[in-house]
Amino acid sequence: MKNPFNEHVRVRFAPSPTGFLHIGNLRTALYNELLARHFNGDFILRIEDTDRTRIVEGGVENICRSLQATGVIPNEGIWLDEKGELFERGDYGPYLQSACRERHLEQAEKLVTMDKAYYCFCSTEHLDDLRKKQQAKKQPTMYDGSCRKLDPTEARKKVESGESHVIRLKLPKHGLISFNDIIRGKVTFDWSVIDDQVIIKSDGFPTYHLAATSDDNHMAISHVLRGEEWVSSTPKHLFIYEAFGWKIPQFAHLPLLLNKDKSKLSKRQSDVATEDYLKNGYLPEALLNFVALLGWNPSAEREIYSHDELVELFSVEKINHSGAVFNLEKLDWLNSQYIKQLPKKKYLKLARTYLETAITDDAYIDRCLLMLSDRIVRFGNVTDLAKDFLDLKKDYSGVSLTWKKQTTEDATEKLEALKELLESLSADDVAKMEKSESAIKSLILERGWTNGETLWPLRVALSGQEKSPSPFELLAIYGKDRSLGLLENALKHLRAS
Ligand code: GLU
């Protein structure tokens, strides 16, 4: 497809290493990757670690591992080598934001020289006081601009004498600023509601706004695809681009992720960490497919797409601007579809890694797992599902072994006859569904019984449940000895009742 943007696409995913990869960030990474691959462009991983208070040890490695596990792989920037050590690749580094501090500081000073930024010496107490007063008057909380008016020479002297300070952008105080967002169309803000943003903090570190803008320029980023929460920051970034005369990238702000009740998606790690979804037995392909459809769907008729198909069909223009509902039931459904499509060997291997059981009969476990393959929603609950078939029933309380109005005596008679029949079959025949099925059906015909009054007690005796796979399947899974043991248990229960 022709590139409507008419330039080499270079996009970046720029997370902060806060400890885990938020599922919303996985979507941001994926959309960036899809855009880059769609147009044979570059997809860069840059780590934004300038907010030193939010950094978590191992956070960068964790982000890389979660991206790797889901197959969203950058071709430039920070990555892991075979030994799991971080390294950088590409010509636009450093890709770790804190390593670019010199450049950020130089550019901040330059903005001061250009009268596009100023030193601010206001104390935290002054700023707190100001905020409280504004809150009391129900006014928007904004910096009052005290230091905006300082004489630049005086201000520089204070800085040179070591006085604690920050650097703020000197943003226009009135007028409008507009930009074109690929997803939202024309977005307009009134400068009067935008605060003079701090770009260098008193600890000497740049804030996100300067650092990200500077790095996007340095890395020749053509498109900035990021979360909606940054849309109101874009005017500040445009101000910096314009001050330096840099080429402005195209912006696309992705829709918020919402809970089903339309509230903002939880930030709790256990609900939103990509690695936890994988650990709980969602397949990476299913998770990726699900995340891709949060805010975009190439067709109303289809839900299942491979990664390559997503690349082929991706279009930023088609992303919705309204919030995307994070529907776990849909993820479960998608995952079960992917599980059903797994080759038998791979399915068994995966299910085995999640299954906890004391049973050591491998063939029996495999037969059980295969029976469950179209019921598993995620591998994390395979133990629960398999329990009913691996922990064989000794007690039938809570289920009815009798069919409709059937008497206990009648059910007992049927089970006794079935037990006798099974005893007469070889173990191999019981394990073959067709064999046991035809033997049982002949018995039913011969005796003039009905299917319900014969197969219901048999099925409940075998499964211990009123809803379960067919008795013939259960016989094949359990084999002769286990099945006979279960029939004996059910008979004991009937006789005692
Ligand atoms: N570090 C920012 C974040 O974690 C990146 C925002 C952007 O992509 O510009 O959300």
Side-chain angles (χ1 to χ4, degrees):
M1 189 199 285
K2 204 174 157 308
N3 179 349
F5 305 116
N6 247 343
E7 62 184 317
H8 181 65
V9 170
R10 286 182 54 80
V11 290
R12 84 310 190 261
F13 171 50
S16 301
T18 53
F20 64 95
L21 181 65
H22 189 287
I23 197 93
N25 269 351
L26 175 63
R27 183 194 59 177
T28 304
L30 175 63
Y31 283 3
N32 275 289
E33 186 243 18
L34 295 179
L35 180 66
R37 281 182 57 201
H38 186 94
F39 290 119
N40 287 322
D42 295 310
F43 170 47
I44 297 149
L45 177 62
R46 176 173 84 218
I47 298 294
E48 300 205 328
D49 61 341
T50 49
D51 185 351
R52 311 304 287 173
T53 57
R54 294 176 65 212
I55 298 176
V56 170
E57 176 99 34
V60 182
E61 288 85 345
N62 183 294
I63 289 170
C64 294
R65 277 197 305 271
S66 294
L67 288 175
Q68 193 160 40
T70 44
V72 183
I73 310 222
N75 64 303
E76 187 177 320
I78 294 186
W79 201 238
L80 293 172
D81 65 16
E82 290 98 61
K83 287 196 217 111
E85 310 274 342
L86 294 171
F87 75 103
E88 293 203 358
R89 55 187 168 180
D91 300 331
Y92 297 79
Y95 295 90
L96 190 66
Q97 199 157 60
S98 56
C100 307
R101 193 166 146 219
E102 290 286 300
R103 167 166 38 86
H104 301 144
L105 291 178
E106 246 169 60
Q107 287 168 341
E109 291 295 340
K110 198 152 177 227
L111 285 168
V112 175
T113 323
M114 295 191 292
D115 199 28
K116 299 288 183 192
Y118 59 95
Y119 298 114
C120 171
F121 304 93
C122 290
S123 64
T124 338
E125 294 77 41
H126 170 75
L127 296 174
D128 284 349
D129 197 41
L130 180 68
R131 190 175 340 105
K132 280 184 200 139
K133 282 187 186 143
Q134 288 170 333
Q135 277 166 346
K137 287 194 212 153
K138 301 219 174 345
Q139 288 173 345
T141 49
M142 283 180 85
Y143 178 55
D144 60 0
S146 324
C147 293
R148 232 178 124 107
K149 305 163 216 119
L150 286 180
D151 174 60
T153 329
E154 284 303 306
R156 189 161 297 279
K157 268 194 204 145
K158 278 160 153 295
V159 169
E160 276 158 16
S161 72
E163 197 166 320
S164 168
H165 65 279
V166 300
I167 300 181
R168 288 181 184 270
L169 285 178
K170 198 169 193 178
L171 296 176
K173 284 289 127 208
H174 33 250
L176 299 176
I177 163 105
S178 298
F179 63 94
N180 191 49
D181 186 292
I182 310 175
I183 299 170
R184 277 145 224 279
K186 188 174 174 190
V187 182
T188 302
F189 286 93
D190 192 328
W191 278 121
S192 67
V193 298
I194 304 178
D195 218 354
D196 280 353
Q197 180 66 51
V198 172
I199 51 170
I200 302 289
K201 294 176 287 179
S202 55
D203 64 3
F205 273 90
T207 60
Y208 155 73
H209 304 280
L210 174 65
T213 309
S214 167
D215 292 357
D216 284 345
N217 172 67
H218 178 78
M219 294 175 188
I221 297 302
S222 61
H223 297 73
V224 171
L225 267 64
R226 61 183 171 198
E228 181 180 319
E229 63 273 29
W230 300 110
V231 76
S232 60
S233 298
T234 309
K236 303 169 195 172
H237 305 170
L238 290 171
F239 179 85
I240 299 174
Y241 279 105
E242 274 160 13
F244 286 116
W246 292 338
K247 186 171 182 296
I248 298 174
Q250 305 205 44
F251 289 96
H253 289 93
L254 309 174
L256 280 182
L257 295 188
L258 306 174
N259 291 313
K260 258 167 90 188
D261 64 2
K262 301 280 163 90
S263 58
K264 210 176 151 194
L265 192 66
S266 143
K267 281 203 170 10
R268 263 190 315 172
Q269 172 159 357
S270 58
D271 295 336
V272 290
T274 302
E275 59 183 336
D276 289 348
Y277 280 93
L278 297 174
K279 259 190 234 145
N280 287 333
Y282 289 102
L283 294 169
E285 302 80 5
L287 191 61
L288 201 76
N289 190 153
F290 170 71
V291 161
L293 303 188
L294 291 170
W296 168 65
N297 194 337
S299 133
E301 282 96 56
R302 233 179 111 184
E303 299 282 357
I304 299 195
Y305 297 94
S306 70
H307 196 159
D308 286 344
E309 286 170 326
L310 292 170
V311 169
E312 198 189 314
L313 297 164
F314 190 65
S315 153
V316 188
E317 293 91 332
K318 296 227 175 88
I319 298 173
N320 297 324
H321 61 264
S322 50
V325 174
F326 191 88
N327 182 345
L328 262 183
E329 282 109 58
K330 182 162 167 190
L331 173 59
D332 284 347
W333 177 80
L334 271 173
N335 201 48
S336 64
Q337 300 303 307
Y338 275 86
I339 289 179
K340 278 181 204 147
Q341 287 167 16
L342 285 175
K344 193 167 134 182
K345 245 183 151 171
K346 186 163 179 201
Y347 163 78
L348 284 175
K349 194 166 166 221
L350 277 168
R352 276 301 191 101
T353 57
Y354 283 88
L355 181 72
E356 286 167 26
T357 177
I359 292 174
T360 51
D361 180 344
D362 287 340
Y364 170 38
I365 292 177
D366 283 355
R367 291 196 304 265
C368 262
L369 290 174
L370 286 174
M371 179 191 64
L372 295 174
S373 69
D374 53 3
R375 292 203 245 165
I376 292 187
V377 165
R378 58 184 174 86
F379 285 113
N381 52 20
V382 66
T383 301
D384 261 0
L385 280 175
K387 212 166 53 208
D388 288 329
F389 301 101
L390 294 179
D391 295 345
L392 299 180
K393 278 276 163 187
K394 294 208 170 57
D395 148 43
Y396 293 84
S397 48
V399 293
S400 171
L401 281 158
T402 55
W403 165 246
K404 292 191 173 165
K405 293 200 176 117
Q406 184 177 33
T407 61
T408 312
E409 291 71 33
D410 193 60
T412 307
E413 182 200 339
K414 308 290 185 286
L415 285 185
E416 275 169 350
L418 286 162
K419 194 169 158 240
E420 223 169 278
L421 175 71
L422 286 183
E423 272 161 354
S424 72
L425 296 177
S426 70
D428 275 356
D429 284 354
V430 177
K432 279 192 209 101
M433 238 171 65
E434 326 75 68
K435 290 271 173 163
S436 58
E437 182 167 355
S438 84
I440 292 171
K441 290 205 164 143
S442 313
L443 177 76
I444 293 175
L445 265 176
E446 205 177 282
R447 306 268 171 109
W449 293 343
T450 67
N451 280 342
E453 66 194 12
T454 320
L455 299 182
W456 175 275
L458 174 62
R459 197 177 51 70
V460 179
L462 292 170
S463 66
Q465 292 178 23
E466 295 189 356
K467 273 192 192 137
S468 74
S470 81
F472 313 115
E473 272 176 293
L474 294 173
L475 287 171
I477 290 162
Y478 295 148
K480 182 171 173 177
D481 291 346
R482 269 184 212 93
S483 300
L484 283 173
L486 286 163
L487 292 195
E488 190 44 49
N489 290 343
L491 280 166
K492 266 190 214 142
H493 181 83
L494 283 174
R495 284 181 201 122
S497 57

